[in-house]
Amino acid sequence: AVYVKEGDHVRAGSPLATISSVELSNAQSSYLKSKVRLEALKIQAQRANEHYEKKIISAREFEIANMEYKTVKTEMETSYNTLEIFGLTKSEIQGLESGSQKQQNLIIRSPISGTVTDRKAINGQSVNHEENIFVVADLRKLWILLDVYEKDLYSVKIGAESSVYTLGDKPETVKAYVAHVSEVIDQVKHTAEIRLEVNNAESKLKPGQTISAKVQGLISESKSRKIM
């Protein structure tokens, strides 16, 4: 099942889709087996400690009992972490332990709050862990990348104010600030990249959009004056 489409706003933890996962079933079974073994070995380790204090068993037998307990405890913790990586919440894992709930399908949740900018997932599709079936982006703050000629770089300062203009019949103007000036010069174009950061809470700009910008302190190529 797929629950969202491109353009939808989602919160962190919101379900995007569910997929059938053999790996999830195996991870759940591994965790439950480790938990049952741990409970049994914990009792054995406690008895071994009591018997060792009473000198009923040797030090070697005592160490073996405790080593088995620690080994299985590590296995259970690893299995628990695996379930968390699959996206199961603590309440879902507790439901799995009590037997009241077992996840048959893997829920794909959004890691952040934002906008679904790309959706490749469709019902019935086969997927693997290398595929990006969703892209969720926080569009409230955006980066704007500009190329600046090498000779003008010295006049660009971090924190400098910039005016950004959109194209079209109804252009918008937004304020931005220089956040980074690249240390690498393009050997062909003799330019370096600067990065502006802009508050896009009003959604005036869109990723991939063509814009023009004026950066405070940047020297004009035609006249030796500052563009304000």
Side-chain angles (χ1 to χ4, degrees):
V2 181
Y3 306 126
V4 296
K5 61 183 182 300
E6 292 179 4
D8 285 352
H9 297 278
V10 296
R11 295 181 178 274
S14 297
L16 304 177
T18 55
I19 61 175
S20 176
S21 173
V22 175
E23 289 84 355
L24 175 60
S25 297
N26 292 340
Q28 291 179 122
S29 297
S30 177
Y31 173 72
L32 293 176
K33 289 178 182 177
S34 297
K35 187 172 178 60
V36 171
R37 287 183 60 201
L38 183 66
E39 291 171 355
L41 290 174
K42 182 179 181 180
I43 296 173
Q44 291 182 17
Q46 291 172 343
R47 289 177 179 173
N49 185 49
E50 294 173 358
H51 291 168
Y52 178 68
E53 290 177 351
K54 295 177 181 179
K55 298 183 179 181
I56 297 176
I57 61 174
S58 65
R60 178 174 174 77
E61 291 174 313
F62 169 75
E63 290 174 358
I64 290 175
N66 279 276
M67 184 60 68
E68 289 178 343
Y69 171 73
K70 291 178 180 179
T71 299
V72 176
K73 183 180 179 182
T74 300
E75 291 177 358
M76 193 199 76
E77 291 172 349
T78 301
S79 298
Y80 186 94
N81 292 337
T82 300
L83 294 178
E84 287 188 319
I85 292 172
F86 271 112
L88 269 68
T89 63
K90 289 184 179 180
S91 61
E92 289 172 341
I93 295 176
Q94 290 173 352
L96 178 66
E97 294 171 353
S98 64
S100 63
Q101 180 178 3
K102 185 173 182 179
Q103 294 293 113
Q104 299 296 327
N105 295 317
L106 174 61
I107 301 175
I108 306 299
R109 294 184 172 89
S110 177
I112 63 170
S113 297
T115 302
V116 180
T117 59
D118 189 22
R119 191 202 84 174
K120 294 184 172 63
I122 58 174
N123 289 337
Q125 176 184 1
S126 177
V127 298
N128 60 57
H129 67 280
E130 296 177 351
E131 292 184 74
N132 292 324
I133 56 177
F134 293 99
V135 175
V136 179
D138 184 353
L139 303 181
R140 293 173 298 176
K141 286 189 177 181
L142 296 179
W143 289 358
I144 297 173
L145 306 180
L146 304 174
D147 286 333
V148 176
Y149 285 110
E150 179 181 355
K151 63 184 179 62
D152 296 330
L153 278 177
Y154 72 92
S155 62
V156 181
K157 305 298 182 183
I158 301 295
E161 186 176 294
S162 306
S163 295
V164 177
Y165 308 95
T166 63
L167 305 181
D169 296 334
K170 297 180 180 180
E172 297 277 1
T173 303
V174 296
K175 294 295 182 183
Y177 297 88
V178 177
H180 177 71
V181 178
S182 176
E183 302 293 336
V184 180
I185 305 295
D186 188 298
Q187 296 297 314
V188 177
K189 297 188 294 183
H190 298 288
T191 60
E193 189 175 80
I194 68 172
R195 185 178 77 228
L196 309 182
E197 288 188 359
V198 57
N199 186 333
N200 194 45
E202 297 180 4
S203 301
K204 291 183 177 180
L205 300 177
K206 300 182 183 299
Q209 184 176 9
T210 301
I211 54 92
S212 62
K214 290 182 180 180
V215 181
Q216 186 179 38
L218 187 60
I219 303 301
S220 171
E221 183 179 358
S222 58
K223 297 179 181 179
S224 294
R225 64 178 179 83
K226 292 183 179 180
I227 298 176
M228 302 300 291

